[in-house]
Each structure stands twice: as structure tokens, then as C-alpha cells.
Amino acid sequence: MASHNVPRPAIIEVKTEQSRLREQNQIDEYRALVDLIDVKITEHQYTLQVLELTSKLLSKNPEYYTVWNARRRLLTCGLFPKLSASSSPLTASQSTSQIGTTTTSSADVSSSITNSSTESKEILDNFDSQTHRKNGTTLELIKSDLGFIFPLMIQYPKCYWIWNYRLWLLKEGNARLETHIARDLWMHELALVGKMLVRDSRNFHGWGYRRNVVAELESPKLNGFSMAEAEFEYTTKMIKANLSNFSAWHRRSKLIPKLLNERKADDATRHDFLNSEFELITEAIYTDAYPYAQSVWFYYQFLMSTLIEPTGSSAINPNCTLQDRIVYLSKQLISLKDMLDGAEDCKWIYDALLEYTLVLCRMREREATPEERQDCLLWLSELRKLDPLRNGRWGDFRLAGSG
Amino acid sequence: MSLVSGPGVAGNTSSLPNEIQLAISAHVSYIQSLDTRRDELEYWLTEHLRMNGLYWGLTSLHLLGRPDALPRHETIAFVLSCQKDSGGFGAASGHDAHLLSTVSAVQILVMVDAIDELDSKGKGSEGGKGGVELVGNYIAALQDRMTGTFRGDEFGEEDTRFIYAGFNALSLLHLLHLVDVPLAVLFIESCANFDGGYGVAPGAESHSGQIFTCLAALTIAGRIDMVNKDKLGRWLSERQVEAGGLNGRPEKLEDVCYSWWVAASLTMIGKLHWIDGDKLAKFILSCQDTENGGIADRAGDMVDVFHTVFGLAGLSLLGWEGLEPVDPVYCMPKKITERVLGTRV
């Protein structure tokens, strides 16, 4: 959006007359291209030559959203074969496979097909030849466009407009190509975004794009099915590559409830699942390089929150009794105290001990005991010492009964 | 009207005196100079941000106590020249309408007290009125009435930022009734995460910028009660790093613009004191170019007007002396939002 992470030059160069002229030439060339595209689009010249002009401009400036829009119009109003009710390839594929997908243009055609079987055969034959031709042109255009965008995504991974345009283009493919062809394109995107996330494992746009691609691949319109298992595996892989990848931990937190429902997991399985997640996170916390990193501690908080508020959208084990939850939480408190050994300067452990000790008192519907209060005051003083940036937060901490 | 980035350079922390000051007059001159740089390629490459840039620059000047430092008449003329027949505004003349430039246009016109001129001279005005209503209708038509969310433009990109942009502009125009507020609030709720934060869409990771837009939208809707303030306050307060600056997500680098997204969010939930304000102020000041004006993302980097306004707004939230108080919901001077909306609790 603005200049991020652009270091200052060692010496601020004073422009020579020559460099001033060079810059002026660049400006003139750039503005002439902008004006030319504007004229062509205003005249509705939706041709490959104009598409090329927009490619040239967008390569210089991928933030120029109006030109991405011009490109959309070039495709939908000119270069793509017309999407009409009588010739839509999607409609053709629907009428042959009858998967139950719907589009706005399909209803009238489907009904005309079912009117008479001989008539429908003729129409279908006609569709087949048209489908081939139109898939061909549309697919070529979409593939070539995807190819044009890819290097821009690598060069400008934080540019919203590029990601949006790519999604838009693929969604156009859904409406214009046969289902299996559209699906192949999305499968290709899944591999591609995987590569992007290897390059930058925290890219916000990359993770968002992956969510969108997976949602498309899962959708009935592309004959999809749930990918929760595979995506869950993917988060495991990403976490193992880098324990500080909070994006992957987050995604995992969202996949778990879905995964367990799809597995039709019973209470015992859910209990085991929670155990294995706690083992995973405890191991991550103990791993030398990450004792004080916050990503793992936020995931720890997520797991604890599923015990404290067992129902709700992120439930792991919703039927767990209050008594069982109290037992589980108490064990975690013991485990946290063990963690302090050798990590007495880790504020996250004190933070967790303080919070969950008080939560446990609430779950037991009783006040903190004098010993617990003593512990809490000690942990609070450690927090003040270790983490003075957040002194205001520690100052707001009120132990029950202490006013 | 204003250039978005460069050319100044932020200071190097090691060479700064202990008592750093806010370089008010340098910042004012920097912003005034932005529209005079048409001989730089960068000026043309950032044209798609011109309307946002003008909003950032004008807000900076208001916060610096120099609201008249840009010519009012030219400001209004520029904004109106970017309006399309649909009622929406583009980033510059010849650019397509988009919700992001439309909200900036409305905010600018409110700041220069020219909503009357929009009504009488904007698109769709007849007999001296109707311009405001057309803008309202343009924004309202971007709401998806099935999900409550807003698209950025006719091509359908959806993002929690756009709910905020829609609510922001419509409330300033007193036209919030044109949209389904409760449905949009439900959508925001569906974007909440276990850490108390919000993402760009349901399932998306919490992000400080997105949290700001969700909290501000909920505040405008009168539904800040839906936020888990303790959980979110904890997550937000952990954005502060040792250097004093704030980051946008766990284990990312600090950046001056989060001085606004995080600090304004903390303010909206009453927990600004959960971070160290003095250290944050020092971090922001260390990112100034004290000589040529402007603020950068981090010390030693190129300055730009985006980081300038969010650095100044962050300092204003912290009560920095000499700056106008900023409204944490609108990122505009409080005096102005109070004039338009009355005093809010």
C-alpha cells in the first residue's frame, strides 16, 4: 500500500540533468501508455493487442486497479466466447452429467432439453462441438493470463489487486469451462500457493488464497469433497518446518472441529485427539529454539479454551464433563509448573499459571485458597519484572477477593 | 493530490538526541510538497492512491493543527473530479470507482466541511441537492444482502475492511439506515477467532489492521459489547515488541502503521494502558525524518504519507502535546467527528 521496508540509500543522489531527462522520458512513456489504454477501452476495442497493452502497463505498475478492471472487461465483453444460455459449455456439461449444480443460465436450457429426447440429442451434439471450440479459446485465454500473473505475484506478493484478479479469473473459468477443466485449474493453484507459502510461510494473502482455493475445490459445483484431512496434514508439515508459524497454528485451530465431525469421532477419540494436540504443543514449547516465542503459546491458549468453554464453534470435546475438565486442567497446571524448571525467565509460563489457576477456582466454584493466592501474587510480581511493557495489564489483574 | 511515498528518509535511532521532538513544521512542509512532485515517476506510479493520499495528508495536517495548509477550493475540486456517474469515487480522475477511495472522498469532504457542496454539485444533484443521496446509494448497493458483507466494487472482492469503509462513510453522511447493519454485524461475528481477534473473512487469521476495521464497524453499529475485550486486549498488547513499536501479527516485525491499528483498537476496548505508551511514542518519533519531514515504517527507511498519518494518529491517541485529539473510530480529528456526529460515549 505504501513503502514498506524500503531502506534509505547510503547517499541521497542529487539528480543530474541527464537523470532528470531520463526520468521525464519514463514519465512520458508511462503516461502515453495509460492514455492509449484509456482511449482503446473507451472505444470498446476489446482485442488481444489491447490486452497486451494492459499487460505492459500492469508489469510496470500492478497496483493500477483500473487497468485490472479494463482487463476484466476485455475478456468478458470481447475475447471470451459469449456466455449465452444456448451455448454455455457449463450448461452442456451439466445436462450430460446432471450433477445437480446450478447456474443462473442453466434453468431454461435444461427444461428445453427435457422437452423431447430427440430434440435434446440434437442439442447435445451441437453442444459438444461448440463446447470443444469454446473451451479451447476460453482455456487458452485463462491459462495465458494465469501465466502472465504468476511472475507478478512472486515480485509483488503483497499486492491485493493481483490476488483478487487471479481469483476472479478462475471463477470466470468455473462459469465458462467444463467442470473437470475448471477443477484442474484450481488443483494447479493449490500446488502453486503451496510453493508461494514455502517462499514466505506467513504471507497473509497466500494463506487467504489457499483458503479460497480449497473452498472452491471442496464445492459441489466442482464435484468437490472435504479436504479437511489433507489440509490438517498440511498444517502439521508447515508447523514442523517452523514452530513460529502462527498462520499454520491458526489454520489448524479452524480445521480441527471440522475434522473431528467428519471423522464422526466419539468422545473417547476426541479425548485422545486433545491429548495428542497437547503433546504436540508441549513438545513445541520445550523445543530449545522456541521457549519464549508467542505463536506456540497462543495455540496452547486455544487448546485450553476448548476445555474452559467446551461448546461453541471451536469445540474439540464438547461432551467432556465438568469434573473431567477440572481434572484435565489441574494436570496442565502441574505440567506448567514443571516447565518453569530451567525457564524461570519465561513470562508465558507465569501468564498461563496465573490465568488457569484462577479459571480452575471458578470452575470449582470456590475462592482461591491462601496458598493459591500466594502463588498468584508471586507469579504476578515475576510478570511485572519480566514484562514491564505490559505493566498496565498486570496492574489491572484483580485476584478474587482482593478488591 | 498528494504523492504517496518518498523522497525523505527517516532518522537513524543511534544519532538521535535523548529528548526527541515531533518535527511539526517539517511534517507540514513535507505534506504540502507532495503534490508538487510531478517530475518524479513515483508520483505517477502512485496515482491509484491519490484520493487515499489526500485523506492521509489532510488528516495529518489537521492533527498537526494546520487544517488550512492545503487549499480548500482545490481540494474540493479534486475530490469532485474523481466522482463517477454511479456516485462512487475513483482514486484519481479517470480511475474506476472503488469503496476505498469513496470513503476517503467522504472523509475529506467532511474535514473541509463541504458536504453541502457534494449535495449541490456532485453527481446526481438536481436543484441544488441529491448528491449525498447518490453516494449513499452507491455504497449501499455494494452490500450483499444475503451475507451482510460489502464488496469493494462491482467485481465482488469481499473483505471486512469494506464493511468498515461502508459504515464509516454512510454514518458520516447520516445514511447508515440504507444498509442492513445487524446482518453485517453477524458477518463480523463470524470472522472472530479464539484469540479474540478478527480476520479478513471467516476462517482467516487475526490481523491488527482487520481487527481495527471490525472494532470500528462494531462501534459505529453500537455493538462493541460483542467483543471479548480481555482476550483481544491480551493479544493486542502482545503486539508491542522490545523496541517499543507494534507489529500486526505474532512474531512479525514492528511497523509504524500498527501504532494506529493496534493502539486505536486498544482504545476502542478501553485498554490502551496495556502497552507502554512512552516506548511506543519514542519508536514513532525515531522513524521521523526530522529534517525533510514525514515518517517511515521503521527508522532508516523511506518516509511516506501513509506512515506519516498513522504515526501522528498513534501519537495523538497517546495524548502527545501539540497534536489535535484523534477519533479512534474514524481516524479524523475528534473536533470534526463531534461536529458531524455529536458527542458519542
Side-chain angles (χ1 to χ4, degrees):
Chain A
M1 188 183 275
S3 60
H4 279 103
N5 217 8
V6 182
R8 65 170 171 184
I11 301 159
I12 298 176
E13 172 190 348
V14 179
K15 279 182 203 166
T16 61
E17 181 59 14
Q18 199 185 4
S19 71
R20 198 193 63 77
L21 277 175
R22 195 166 52 233
E23 187 162 6
Q24 191 55 52
N25 280 338
Q26 287 173 329
I27 292 171
D28 293 344
E29 202 185 306
Y30 175 80
R31 296 191 65 196
L33 185 57
V34 169
D35 291 343
L36 183 62
I37 291 170
D38 190 37
V39 168
K40 300 280 181 192
I41 295 294
T42 310
E43 291 173 354
H44 297 251
Q45 288 195 37
Y46 299 137
T47 63
L48 282 172
Q49 287 73 22
V50 181
L51 191 75
E52 267 308 301
L53 293 176
T54 64
S55 301
K56 197 173 163 190
L57 184 63
L58 290 167
S59 302
K60 288 175 196 262
N61 185 4
E63 297 275 359
Y64 207 137
Y65 69 89
T66 302
V67 178
W68 286 112
N69 291 348
R71 209 171 162 88
R72 289 173 161 114
R73 292 189 188 100
L74 276 160
L75 291 174
T76 54
C77 305
L79 297 171
F80 280 153
K82 287 277 169 294
L83 242 193
S84 67
S86 60
S87 66
S88 157
L90 179 62
T91 316
S93 74
Q94 272 187 329
S95 57
T96 48
S97 55
Q98 293 295 340
I99 301 300
T101 52
T102 53
T103 68
T104 48
S105 61
S106 66
D108 52 338
V109 184
S110 307
S111 62
S112 76
I113 290 170
T114 50
N115 281 345
S116 127
S117 58
T118 46
E119 192 187 331
S120 85
K121 180 156 189 333
E122 271 177 40
I123 294 170
L124 285 177
D125 288 344
N126 190 23
F127 275 158
D128 281 345
S129 63
Q130 282 190 18
T131 300
H132 179 74
R133 185 169 58 77
K134 306 216 160 173
N135 263 335
T137 319
T138 306
L139 187 61
E140 270 167 36
L141 283 164
I142 291 178
K143 277 193 162 170
S144 125
D145 219 3
L146 291 172
F148 160 68
I149 303 163
F150 183 62
L152 292 181
M153 291 167 76
I154 298 286
Q155 201 179 345
Y156 307 96
K158 292 186 176 175
C159 176
Y160 281 91
W161 309 108
I162 304 178
W163 293 97
N164 292 337
Y165 179 80
R166 196 169 179 94
L167 273 181
W168 171 86
L169 184 66
L170 287 152
K171 285 181 180 170
E172 284 296 308
N174 287 351
R176 292 167 189 275
L177 298 170
E178 284 190 85
T179 306
H180 71 278
I181 297 177
R183 188 175 172 81
D184 282 351
L185 291 177
W186 288 105
M187 283 303 290
H188 184 259
E189 293 305 291
L190 189 63
L192 180 139
V193 75
K195 284 182 192 149
M196 295 285 291
L197 288 173
V198 169
R199 289 174 73 97
D200 177 3
S201 65
R202 294 295 305 281
N203 185 318
F204 194 68
H205 300 278
W207 282 96
Y209 192 70
R210 186 175 185 96
R211 227 178 36 250
N212 274 300
V213 170
V214 168
E216 289 291 329
L217 284 169
E218 288 180 330
S219 70
K221 68 174 183 279
L222 291 182
N223 302 338
F225 46 86
S226 171
M227 296 171 64
E229 292 282 352
E231 284 301 284
F232 183 73
E233 278 309 307
Y234 179 74
T235 66
T236 309
K237 189 180 95 179
M238 294 301 277
I239 288 159
K240 295 216 159 137
N242 177 9
L243 291 174
S244 278
N245 190 338
F246 184 69
S247 307
W249 290 112
H250 161 81
R251 178 110 171 104
R252 195 172 178 88
S253 80
K254 292 287 180 183
L255 285 164
I256 288 174
K258 193 179 169 191
L259 187 84
L260 291 171
N261 287 340
E262 285 175 9
R263 287 181 184 173
K264 300 193 170 49
D266 59 17
D267 292 347
T269 314
R270 285 170 180 273
H271 183 82
D272 291 347
F273 187 92
L274 188 60
N275 278 343
S276 68
E277 286 303 290
F278 265 112
E279 273 168 33
L280 175 77
I281 199 66
T282 308
E283 196 186 313
I285 290 170
Y286 269 107
T287 302
D288 280 342
Y290 302 100
Y292 308 145
Q294 54 178 263
S295 295
V296 288
W297 284 102
F298 279 114
Y299 191 71
Y300 185 82
Q301 286 176 15
F302 161 68
L303 292 180
M304 293 296 264
S305 73
T306 70
L307 287 167
I308 298 163
E309 310 144 25
T311 52
S313 60
S314 55
I316 292 181
N317 198 2
N319 298 327
C320 196
T321 64
L322 178 65
Q323 194 49 45
D324 286 348
R325 292 191 283 123
I326 288 173
V327 171
Y328 211 118
L329 225 64
S330 310
K331 280 190 196 155
Q332 282 304 315
L333 282 176
I334 294 167
S335 157
L336 283 166
K337 283 176 188 161
D338 289 345
M339 278 181 203
L340 270 183
D341 188 17
E344 290 85 355
D345 57 347
C346 179
K347 72 144 185 172
W348 293 97
I349 304 176
Y350 299 108
D351 192 5
L353 280 169
L354 186 59
E355 178 180 3
Y356 301 125
T357 298
L358 296 177
V359 164
L360 204 55
C361 291
R362 277 203 300 277
M363 284 167 80
R364 287 173 161 150
E365 293 180 350
R366 64 160 174 77
E367 298 274 297
T369 63
E371 294 78 37
E372 283 167 341
R373 288 176 57 86
Q374 199 58 39
D375 282 345
C376 286
L377 289 171
L378 180 77
W379 296 326
L380 203 51
S381 72
E382 289 295 332
L383 283 167
R384 286 178 182 279
K385 208 160 58 195
L386 292 168
D387 191 19
L389 282 181
R390 278 156 283 271
N391 255 334
R393 190 169 124 207
W394 313 130
D396 278 1
F397 229 99
R398 292 281 174 271
L399 294 179
S402 65
Chain B
M1 290 218 310
S2 40
L3 177 64
V4 172
S5 64
V9 164
N12 185 325
T13 32
S14 59
S15 62
L16 284 169
N18 290 337
E19 287 299 310
I20 25 184
Q21 297 297 317
L22 182 63
I24 290 182
S25 61
H27 296 321
V28 171
S29 321
Y30 165 69
I31 291 159
Q32 285 177 317
S33 77
L34 291 172
D35 199 44
T36 63
R37 306 227 304 260
R38 292 160 194 253
D39 57 345
E40 293 175 29
L41 182 59
E42 184 72 5
Y43 179 91
W44 299 102
L45 290 179
T46 54
E47 201 179 31
H48 62 279
L49 287 174
R50 203 73 81 224
M51 186 71 81
N52 299 136
L54 178 54
Y55 156 72
W56 296 328
L58 188 62
T59 304
S60 302
L61 292 171
H62 274 261
L63 296 180
L64 290 163
R66 292 288 310 278
D68 301 323
L70 290 181
R72 180 175 183 273
H73 179 72
E74 281 177 39
T75 300
I76 298 168
F78 167 77
V79 172
L80 292 182
S81 77
C82 300
Q83 198 183 17
K84 311 301 262 189
D85 291 338
S86 62
F89 291 81
S93 174
H95 290 241
D96 285 352
H98 195 283
L99 185 50
L100 292 178
S101 28
T102 302
V103 63
S104 285
V106 170
Q107 289 180 289
I108 294 163
L109 292 175
V110 166
M111 276 193 280
V112 297
D113 200 5
I115 292 299
D116 285 350
E117 293 200 40
L118 172 66
D119 210 32
S120 60
K121 293 181 193 156
K123 301 277 182 192
S125 55
E126 263 176 61
K129 57 185 270 182
V132 168
E133 201 183 324
L134 187 71
V135 177
N137 290 337
Y138 165 80
I139 297 170
L142 291 172
Q143 188 181 33
D144 182 333
R145 298 292 169 142
M146 301 297 289
T147 64
T149 186
F150 281 70
R151 293 176 288 271
D153 63 14
E154 62 193 279
F155 294 106
E157 176 204 357
E158 291 181 353
D159 183 323
T160 40
R161 286 183 302 160
F162 302 147
I163 298 179
Y164 167 61
F167 279 15
N168 179 322
L170 287 173
S171 61
L172 288 173
L173 297 174
H174 304 287
L175 291 174
L176 201 55
H177 60 272
L178 294 180
V179 292
D180 190 338
V181 174
L183 197 61
V185 167
L186 277 178
F187 183 82
I188 294 173
E189 194 179 18
S190 74
C191 298
N193 292 320
F194 77 84
D195 46 34
Y198 298 84
V200 59
E205 179 184 351
S206 296
H207 180 291
S208 303
Q210 234 64 48
I211 290 169
F212 164 79
T213 64
C214 290
L215 296 192
L218 290 174
T219 305
I220 293 171
R223 291 306 312 275
I224 196 75
D225 61 285
M226 283 180 32
V227 178
N228 187 331
K229 297 187 179 73
D230 281 336
K231 254 190 192 179
L232 179 57
R234 172 193 224 173
W235 189 90
L236 286 169
S237 72
E238 295 294 347
R239 298 306 103 239
Q240 189 166 37
V241 302
E242 274 315 302
L246 301 160
N247 61 20
R249 289 185 286 154
E251 303 189 63
K252 300 283 285 184
L253 278 178
E254 70 275 23
D255 179 326
V256 158
C257 65
Y258 292 110
S259 309
W260 174 254
W261 313 121
V262 175
S265 298
L266 283 167
T267 305
M268 284 187 270
I269 58 172
K271 305 219 181 286
L272 185 60
H273 62 291
W274 280 19
I275 56 171
D276 187 328
D278 289 345
K279 277 194 100 168
L280 175 60
K282 274 187 188 141
F283 168 75
I284 299 171
L285 292 170
S286 75
C287 298
Q288 298 178 99
D289 179 337
T290 48
E291 208 170 303
N292 300 309
I295 302 177
D297 58 347
R298 278 183 289 281
D301 283 352
M302 299 288 279
V303 304
D304 60 61
V305 68
F306 172 87
H307 289 94
T308 303
V309 67
F310 293 124
L312 292 172
L315 287 172
S316 169
L317 283 178
L318 296 169
W320 194 264
E321 207 184 321
L323 287 179
E324 278 289 320
V326 67
D327 186 315
V329 177
Y330 290 88
C331 196
M332 290 162 68
K334 247 188 181 151
K335 271 202 303 217
I336 287 177
T337 55
E338 280 171 8
R339 162 171 63 76
V340 177
L341 301 166
T343 310
R344 291 162 298 136
V345 183

